């Protein structure tokens, strides 16, 4: 029986019509421009009214299809005001970067392409741009020629991939194929890391079956750097994890004292360089990462220091086969090609084309621009720290990179000052615990930040501390 031609589906018909409704995309652009024009002046953290506006989203799933113009309007009306103004100049929370204009514009174009970065055959453009970025990053960071790169969502995943490659590589050398035999009964490998390792490293180790409680935690110095004199004997059953940029102090592990030794011992070294690896691309700051090029794998974020849009993490691996072996899969319909197939280097299969925005960032900056951007963040962090010191705040870290820790010399006062800063809308910083004391944590991470932004933020710090002190009496 032949299928009778029927009236076509209402939804598909509607979407086919909407797809050619150029005014819809014009509207999206208008809202985006409106947002970008006001983001510099609005409160950095949304006020009460904006947050309350979010309640408008808490409704039942509509029964019938909606009008795209009204959907967009609703998103802009209630969504935009309750965002965090991190693309402005006074956002210093976490280690969140701004967004480079060429990359944002490229992202809009990429969104229209809606490519799947999985294979060459799903997008030759993305495959080539990934290939190009791989080479450029290898060069910028001074890594060994032939280093492989996988483009993932962030450093959490990048670290997972690097450590997976390391685990598999060490066990393979010990005669154990972990991908087929699993970890039960495998020869033991030791995991050595600094006491200041990022929480995502622990998460990766636990996912990989390496456990969080059987690690060798090496004591760190007063800045959170791993102490080379406290390292255990390294051997070919050791997975060593180092750090370029402590998430609080910004400090770098002493790679030159450790990496060569680890390499000679046959250990696998992974460097978590989520934001700090970019120091390697700066003329003045690359001394901080000297020696890390002898490691085996590295994780880094472009959405932090480089100011690429989210979500842009990269795993880099000296041993291409080890990375591919750890992440490989197959299926009869998967056609690997002579060209770069992105999925070989990532845990995901389908992925958005994030390397395109990374490419746009690197094109927009060039080698000199990357260097300048990184140095500028460091200089501004130092300026921030100096200004706060002059106002009587204590800065308990050496400001070697873009991180500044701040204390009011009284734990309760520090905590209250921080909440008042956060509520002020003048700037936004997070908090942390540093040497068992609460601190305010500043990350200067956006090209958008000016010295005026910093002066204004320092005034907000002073005002908040004053109010916090008064509240005490
Ligand atoms: C941000 C950060 C991570 C996690 O990166 P995501 O991109 O958020 O997954 C890991 N390590 C360090 C040192 C970081 O700063």
């Amino acid at each position: 029986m032949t299928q009778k031609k029927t009236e076509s589906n209402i939804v598909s018909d509607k979407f086919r019509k909407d797809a050619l409704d150029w005014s819809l995309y014009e509207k999206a652009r208008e809202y985006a421009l409106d947002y970008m024009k006001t983001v510099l002046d609005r409160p950095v953290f949304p006020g009460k009214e904006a947050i309350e506006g979010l309640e408008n989203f808490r409704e039942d799933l509509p029964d019938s299809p909606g009008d795209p113009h009204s959907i967009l309007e609703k998103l802009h009306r209630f969504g935009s005001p309750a965002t965090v103004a991190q693309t402005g100049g006074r956002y210093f929370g976490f280690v969140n970067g701004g967004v480079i204009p060429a990359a944002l514009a490229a992202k809009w174009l990429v969104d229209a392409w809606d490519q799947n970065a999985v294979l060459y055959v799903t997008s030759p453009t993305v495959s080539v741009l990934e290939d190009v970025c791989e080479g450029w990053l290898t060069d910028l960071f001074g890594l060994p020629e032939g280093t492989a790169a996988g483009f993932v969502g962030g450093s959490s995943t990048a670290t997972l991939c690097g450590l997976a490659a390391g685990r598999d590589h060490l066990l393979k050398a010990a005669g154990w194929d972990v991908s087929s035999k699993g970890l039960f009964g495998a020869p033991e490998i030791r995991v050595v890391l600094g006491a200041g390792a990022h929480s995502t490293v622990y998460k990766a180790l636990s996912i990989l079956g390496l456990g969080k409680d059987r690690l060798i935690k090496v004591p760190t110095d007063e800045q959170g750097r791993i102490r080379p004199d406290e390292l255990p004997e390294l051997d070919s059953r050791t997975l060593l994890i180092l750090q370029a940029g402590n998430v609080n102090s910004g400090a770098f592990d002493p790679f030159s004292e450790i990496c060569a030794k680890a390499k000679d011992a046959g250990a696998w070294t992974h460097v978590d360089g989520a934001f700090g690896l970019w120091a390697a691309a700066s003329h003045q700051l690359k001394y901080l990462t000297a020696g890390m090029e002898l490691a085996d794998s590295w994780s880094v974020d472009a959405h932090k220091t480089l100011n690429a849009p989210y979500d842009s993490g990269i795993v880099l691996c000296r041993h291409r086969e080890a990375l591919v072996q750890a992440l490989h899969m197959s299926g009869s319909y998967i056609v690997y090609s002579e060209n770069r197939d992105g999925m070989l280097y990532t845990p995901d299969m389908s992925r958005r084309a994030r390397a395109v925005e990374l490419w746009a960032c690197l094109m927009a900056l060039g080698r000199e621009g990357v260097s300048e951007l990184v140095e500028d963040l460091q200089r501004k962090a130092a300026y921030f720290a100096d200004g706060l010191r002059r106002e009587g705040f204590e800065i308990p870290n050496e400001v070697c990179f873009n991180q500044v820790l701040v204390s009011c010399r009284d734990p309760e006062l520090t905590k209250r000052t921080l909440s008042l800063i956060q509520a002020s809308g003048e700037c936004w910083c997070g908090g942390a615990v540093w040497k068992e004391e609460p601190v305010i944590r500043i990350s200067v991470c956006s090209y958008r930040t000016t010295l005026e932004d910093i002066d204004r933020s320092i005034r907000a710090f002073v005002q908040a501390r004053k109010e916090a002190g008064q509240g005490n009496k």
Side-chain angles (χ1 to χ4, degrees):
M1 205 175 76
T2 52
Q3 180 82 35
K4 232 181 84 194
K5 220 175 170 184
T6 54
E7 277 303 300
S8 45
N9 181 295
I10 301 170
V11 167
S12 309
D13 267 2
K14 175 175 148 46
F15 290 169
R16 271 193 295 274
K17 200 163 127 274
D18 288 347
L20 301 178
D21 173 8
W22 307 118
S23 72
L24 176 65
Y25 311 114
E26 295 288 352
K27 202 74 202 168
R29 197 181 60 168
E30 192 185 307
Y31 289 146
L33 292 179
D34 174 47
Y35 182 84
M36 293 195 292
K37 282 175 189 163
T38 52
V39 78
L40 294 177
D41 301 318
R42 45 159 289 196
V44 179
F45 195 84
K48 191 158 166 280
E49 198 183 326
I51 298 286
E52 279 166 9
L54 294 174
E55 289 308 310
N56 288 287
F57 291 122
R58 297 193 194 280
E59 56 189 329
D60 291 338
L61 173 67
D63 286 328
S64 45
D67 163 51
H69 285 270
S70 336
I71 294 169
L72 204 63
E73 197 270 333
K74 180 162 191 162
L75 189 60
H76 185 48
R77 179 138 66 106
F78 300 114
S80 296
T83 57
V84 167
Q86 76 153 46
T87 54
R90 283 171 284 113
Y91 186 81
F92 307 106
F94 304 92
V95 193
N96 291 2
V99 54
I100 287 175
L104 177 59
K107 191 172 184 202
W108 290 358
L109 179 56
V110 170
D111 282 345
W113 294 351
D114 193 30
Q115 296 290 280
N116 185 348
V118 57
L119 294 166
Y120 178 81
V121 292
T122 59
S123 185
T125 304
V126 178
S127 165
V128 168
L129 290 178
E130 282 197 356
D131 212 23
V132 168
C133 286
E134 178 182 275
W136 287 357
L137 291 176
T138 299
D139 180 30
L140 265 180
F141 295 137
L143 302 181
E145 207 173 311
T147 292
F151 299 92
V152 295
S155 274
S156 308
T157 309
T159 297
L160 179 75
C161 297
L163 295 180
R167 180 195 68 174
D168 292 16
H169 182 85
L170 293 176
L171 286 174
K172 190 170 169 213
W176 189 269
D177 175 7
V178 70
S179 87
S180 54
K181 293 198 209 165
L183 276 177
F184 300 106
E188 287 235 354
I189 52 176
R190 290 188 310 164
V191 179
V192 178
L193 77 180
H198 194 267
S199 51
T200 51
V201 169
Y202 292 94
K203 179 167 161 173
L205 291 169
S206 95
I207 295 174
L208 291 169
L210 295 170
K212 287 190 263 197
D213 294 339
R214 54 179 294 288
L215 314 171
I216 303 179
K217 279 193 213 172
V218 182
T220 49
D221 69 10
E222 78 296 341
Q223 294 299 315
R225 291 175 290 236
I226 198 167
R227 282 181 48 185
D229 58 317
E230 294 275 0
L231 274 180
E233 199 67 38
L234 305 172
D235 60 21
S236 60
R237 300 273 177 88
T238 309
L239 189 55
L240 172 66
I241 303 161
L242 300 177
Q243 182 164 257
N246 176 288
V247 78
N248 290 320
S249 69
F252 291 69
D253 283 342
F255 303 110
S256 53
E257 289 177 60
I258 301 173
C259 291
K261 229 186 274 174
K263 194 168 170 34
D264 289 344
W268 179 287
T269 305
H270 178 83
V271 177
D272 172 7
F275 63 96
L277 206 69
W278 294 102
S282 138
H283 303 303
Q284 288 168 23
L285 297 170
K286 68 172 163 218
Y287 74 93
L288 291 166
T289 56
M292 67 82 191
E293 68 283 357
L294 295 173
D296 299 281
S297 56
W298 305 263
S299 39
V300 62
D301 277 326
H303 57 225
K304 290 180 177 167
T305 320
L306 190 69
N307 284 232
Y310 284 101
D311 52 3
S312 192
I314 306 127
V315 55
L316 294 148
C317 187
R318 168 193 297 275
H319 317 271
R320 187 171 293 268
E321 311 72 34
L323 186 63
V324 174
Q325 270 302 309
L327 304 172
H328 80 291
M329 57 166 278
S330 59
S332 58
Y333 67 99
I334 297 172
V335 207
Y336 291 126
S337 69
E338 296 282 281
N339 298 289
R340 179 189 171 91
D341 291 313
M343 70 169 279
L344 288 172
Y345 310 97
T346 65
D348 329 61
M349 194 169 166
S350 301
R351 261 177 321 132
R352 56 181 296 276
R354 50 176 74 97
V356 180
E357 294 124 53
L358 174 58
W359 168 85
C361 276
L362 295 171
M363 284 293 283
L365 287 160
R367 190 189 298 277
E368 290 306 315
V370 175
S371 176
E372 204 182 301
L373 172 67
V374 176
E375 288 164 16
D376 187 52
L377 298 176
Q378 194 279 328
R379 267 197 304 273
K380 288 188 172 135
Y383 177 86
F384 211 146
D386 286 344
L388 287 169
R389 258 192 227 104
R390 271 199 297 277
E391 294 292 348
F393 290 91
E394 187 188 2
I395 308 297
N397 71 314
E398 281 168 23
V399 184
C400 68
F401 203 53
N402 67 330
Q403 302 293 111
V404 184
L405 301 179
V406 190
S407 148
C408 301
R409 300 168 196 275
D410 164 359
E412 283 311 309
L413 185 62
T414 303
K415 280 199 257 180
R416 281 200 306 276
T417 301
L418 174 59
S419 6
L420 288 170
I421 291 169
Q422 291 178 338
S424 73
E426 282 292 287
C427 67
W428 203 93
C429 314
V433 174
W434 181 249
K435 296 182 190 160
E436 276 126 52
E437 295 273 318
V439 286
I440 301 169
R441 181 168 165 274
I442 295 170
S443 180
V444 182
C445 210
S446 174
Y447 73 89
R448 209 70 201 250
T449 299
T450 61
L451 296 181
E452 290 72 39
D453 283 322
I454 295 175
D455 291 340
R456 184 167 160 186
S457 302
I458 292 172
R459 288 197 293 277
F461 269 68
V462 171
Q463 178 64 23
R465 184 183 53 188
K466 192 171 145 203
E467 285 172 28
Q470 282 160 358
N472 202 15
K473 283 169 199 153

